[in-house]
């Protein structure tokens, strides 16, 4: 199956480079190449590509707002967005993922990583640049710890500003032991095939568990599952116990 791709970047050289790298893949086809976010939203809605590869800083509608319009909670029929940017800023990472992006890449990554990311997003998996992942997950864990700690004198209790609690906690959610195993592995970046191998179950069983987890979390994709896991400390302390039995 051919993966159709829309490229949006305000630099012609970047659009050409992406087009050459991705267009050379036997399973990929560039269906649109545009220079601004407004055009990206319009063409994406018209063509409905498998993957929308968006820059962040573009004239008019930027990539973050375009992501929200195409993949956010209010999108009637969301598309899959992969962000590729020069700017390695936490604010951009958080906003992109909250706005529905499936992945976040830095432009200094290798062509092989770009190809891998497009294939991952098309297959409904998430991929975040290795240069971003460790810092992102550490900040998520720190935010969860701060939210659980007592407030400092003169400061109101609750989550810190900028990290609103949008999903239920582990205690509020009836996830089974097996579903928690799936969540932990998703948060560690495992693919469906790796999940099946590590949990010694079939691929269809993995997909069933993932579907159940997404419904319970009201998560649209694996990135939101991973974010919930790290924000709620699911990936700390308990990993050593090993997977539960079915």
């Amino acid at each position: 199956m051919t993966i159709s791709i829309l490229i949006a970047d305000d630099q012609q050289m970047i659009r050409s480079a992406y087009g050459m790298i991705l267009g050379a893949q036997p399973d990929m086809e560039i269906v649109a190449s545009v220079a601004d976010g407004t055009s990206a939203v319009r063409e994406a809605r018209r063509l409905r590509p498998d993957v929308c590869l968006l820059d962040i800083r573009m004239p008019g509608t930027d990539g973050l707002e375009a992501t929200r319009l195409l993949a956010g909670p209010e999108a009637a029929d969301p598309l899959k967005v992969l962000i590729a940017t020069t700017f390695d800023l936490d604010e951009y990472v958080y906003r992109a993922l909250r706005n529905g992006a499936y992945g976040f890449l830095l432009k200094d990554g290798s062509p092989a990583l770009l190809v891998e990311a497009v294939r991952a997003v098309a297959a409904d998996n998430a991929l975040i640049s290795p240069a971003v992942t460790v810092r992102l997950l550490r900040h998520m864990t720190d935010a969860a710890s701060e939210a659980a700690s007592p407030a400092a004198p003169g400061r109101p209790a609750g989550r810190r500003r900028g990290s609103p609690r949008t999903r239920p906690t582990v205690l509020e959610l009836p996830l089974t032991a097996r579903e928690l195993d799936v969540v932990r592995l998703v948060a560690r970046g495992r693919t469906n095939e790796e999940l099946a191998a590590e949990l010694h179950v079939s691929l269809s069983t993995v997909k069933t568990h993932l579907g159940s987890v997404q419904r319970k979390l009201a998560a649209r994709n694996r990135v939101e599952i991973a974010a919930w896991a790290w924000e709620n400390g699911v990936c700390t302390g308990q990993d050593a116990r090993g997977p539960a039995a079915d």
Side-chain angles (χ1 to χ4, degrees):
M1 184 179 68
T2 301
I3 300 170
S4 57
I5 304 163
L6 175 144
I7 298 171
D9 196 292
D10 63 341
Q11 298 183 56
Q12 174 64 47
M13 183 174 66
I14 295 295
R15 296 199 306 275
S16 297
Y18 287 164
M20 291 176 62
I21 293 167
L22 300 175
Q25 305 304 311
D27 58 339
M28 296 183 186
E29 176 188 9
I30 309 302
V31 296
S33 180
V34 299
D36 61 85
T38 302
S39 300
V41 172
R42 183 184 65 248
E43 291 303 292
R45 285 173 171 168
R46 182 176 71 86
L47 298 169
R48 299 207 57 81
D50 297 313
V51 177
C52 300
L53 179 61
L54 307 183
D55 186 21
I56 287 182
R57 294 190 179 179
M58 294 186 288
T61 303
D62 66 21
L64 296 172
E65 176 62 11
T67 299
R68 186 187 69 80
L69 293 171
L70 294 174
E74 290 148 18
D77 195 2
L79 293 164
K80 296 174 183 176
V81 173
L82 172 62
I83 293 289
T85 181
T86 305
F87 304 98
D88 182 12
L89 301 176
D90 289 343
E91 176 189 355
Y92 286 168
V93 179
Y94 286 122
R95 281 190 60 197
L97 299 184
R98 290 302 184 199
N99 284 359
Y102 267 63
F104 191 101
L105 294 178
L106 299 179
K107 289 182 180 177
D108 60 3
S110 68
L113 182 61
L114 174 64
V115 171
E116 179 186 355
V118 169
R119 288 199 178 109
V121 169
D124 206 28
N125 293 320
L127 194 150
I128 302 174
S129 174
V132 174
T133 303
V134 173
R135 188 182 75 248
L136 172 65
L137 298 182
R138 183 178 68 246
H139 286 348
M140 284 181 172
T141 305
D142 291 345
S145 298
E146 182 174 331
S149 63
R155 179 181 169 189
R159 294 181 68 88
R160 68 179 177 184
R161 187 177 180 183
S163 56
R165 178 175 168 272
T166 58
R167 300 192 188 281
T169 66
V170 178
L171 294 178
E172 295 170 338
L173 210 63
L175 289 180
T176 67
R178 177 58 89 192
E179 288 169 349
L180 282 172
D181 287 331
V182 168
V183 167
R184 289 187 188 96
L185 293 176
V186 166
R188 299 287 181 189
R190 305 297 197 271
T191 65
N192 284 359
E193 290 76 12
E194 290 169 336
L195 281 166
E198 292 192 38
L199 298 177
H200 307 290
V201 298
S202 68
L203 193 57
S204 62
T205 299
V206 167
K207 292 178 179 179
T208 298
H209 286 316
L210 277 172
S212 176
V213 168
Q214 283 188 239
R215 285 191 299 274
K216 291 179 180 180
L217 289 179
R220 290 163 295 162
N221 53 50
R222 301 166 77 94
V223 173
E224 291 193 351
I225 293 174
W228 177 87
W230 285 97
E231 287 172 347
N232 285 277
V234 171
C235 296
T236 59
Q238 299 180 40
D239 288 287
R241 70 177 179 81
D246 264 338

